[in-house]
Amino acid sequence: MSHIAPTPSSPPAPEDSDAGLAARAAGGDAQAFALIMRRHNQLLFRTARSILRNDDEAEDALQEAYLRAWRAIGGFREEARLSTWLARIVINEALARLRRRGAQVIPLDTAIDAAAETGEPWEEADPDLQPERITMRQEIRNLIERRIDRLPEAYRTVFVLRAVEEMSVSETAAALQLNEATVRTRFLRARGMLREHLSRDIDVALGDAFSFAGARCDRIVAGVLARISSQPAN
């Protein structure tokens, strides 16, 4: 596709639709394409990284995928979501990189079944010996301790004795001078509250995983635009 970069009648705006930005990019509007990149950078970086498991390589793959998308965006059709169209390009680029380095590539639509059939462990052996695992466990422990501290007092001590100290129901009841039914009820309630709050913490943390804001996003956009501008117009 020929990309000539005309001066647009009006600059693209953040509220423009994906389809509108794609149409402008197909006409050679690099700034519209820059908005597309900023809008989808995090999704596409996370997609590439999930395959390559390396930040730097994922960034390289993303830049190459964007260049492919820039050259092919004239073929984008509005009946598809632009994010899906871009993700497919990024996935293909990431998988191609795996193949070039000789890694075994399993089609994504069969990967789960294949892993289950081979019985290959997804955890590394001896996790306690991995420094990053030790650090991670420390962080998780700190989070759990903070959440236990926030439990109401009536539930907190029961939970510590039952779950942390692994005392029996009867031992806990005797220590706290409670009947066993109360111990069971308070323990179940404390565990439920703790699980609920930890689940929220995890949901928030997942939203921040492999983030792509700030300097990283600016670097990708600037790099792709520089390579686009250096390409001769056909």
Side-chain angles (χ1 to χ4, degrees), residues 10 50 72 95 146 151 209 217 221 224:
S10 61
S50 71
L95 292 176
R146 288 195 298 269
L151 289 172
C217 181
V221 172
V224 173

Side-chain angles (χ1 to χ4, degrees), residues 4-229:
I4 302 173
T7 301
S9 56
S10 61
E15 63 269 19
D16 288 347
S17 68
D18 275 355
L21 291 173
R24 296 182 66 136
D29 188 341
Q31 291 309 308
F33 194 71
L35 276 180
I36 289 173
M37 287 190 284
R38 291 190 180 278
R39 187 173 292 178
H40 300 288
N41 256 342
Q42 183 160 274
L43 163 68
L44 301 177
F45 172 76
R46 286 171 167 174
T47 301
R49 198 193 181 288
S50 71
I51 296 171
L52 297 167
R53 297 192 295 179
N54 178 278
D55 284 5
D56 292 339
E57 197 166 1
E59 284 193 31
D60 290 343
L62 183 54
Q63 288 202 47
E64 290 299 327
Y66 274 139
L67 291 173
R68 292 177 185 273
W70 167 256
R71 291 191 290 266
I73 201 165
F76 170 71
R77 296 294 176 262
E78 292 187 26
E79 58 267 20
R81 288 173 60 90
L82 183 62
S83 58
T84 304
W85 185 78
L86 291 170
R88 189 69 253 167
I89 295 173
V90 170
I91 289 169
N92 287 338
E93 174 64 28
L95 292 176
R97 286 170 177 262
L98 284 184
R99 293 187 185 96
R100 285 198 293 272
R101 69 189 190 196
Q104 181 182 11
V105 177
I106 300 174
L108 295 181
D109 57 350
T110 62
I112 295 177
D113 291 339
E117 289 173 2
T118 58
E120 294 179 357
W122 61 276
E123 287 273 14
E124 294 181 8
D126 298 325
D128 292 338
L129 302 180
Q130 303 295 325
E132 66 274 14
R133 296 292 179 85
I134 295 173
T135 301
M136 181 179 67
R137 289 177 61 190
Q138 178 65 45
E139 292 173 354
I140 293 173
R141 188 181 74 183
N142 291 340
L143 173 61
I144 291 174
E145 289 175 351
R146 288 195 298 269
R147 281 301 178 186
I148 291 174
D149 284 343
R150 294 180 187 178
L151 289 172
E153 184 175 355
Y155 300 102
R156 186 172 60 250
T157 305
V158 169
F159 183 83
V160 169
L161 294 181
R162 287 283 292 117
V164 180
E165 290 299 322
E166 298 182 341
M167 290 175 63
S168 68
V169 172
S170 60
E171 290 170 336
T172 303
L176 298 176
Q177 295 185 322
L178 298 170
N179 63 59
E180 294 186 7
T182 300
V183 169
R184 292 190 182 94
T185 300
R186 291 185 182 182
F187 175 64
L188 290 175
R189 178 61 179 151
R191 189 169 60 181
M193 287 189 290
L194 189 63
R195 182 182 293 118
E196 179 182 353
H197 289 298
L198 288 173
S199 177
R200 291 176 186 173
D201 291 337
I202 291 172
D203 287 343
V204 171
L206 283 175
D208 295 335
F210 310 123
S211 61
F212 201 89
R216 177 180 280 168
C217 181
D218 292 340
R219 181 170 62 249
I220 287 291
V221 172
V224 173
L225 291 180
R227 293 177 68 179
I228 286 174
S229 64

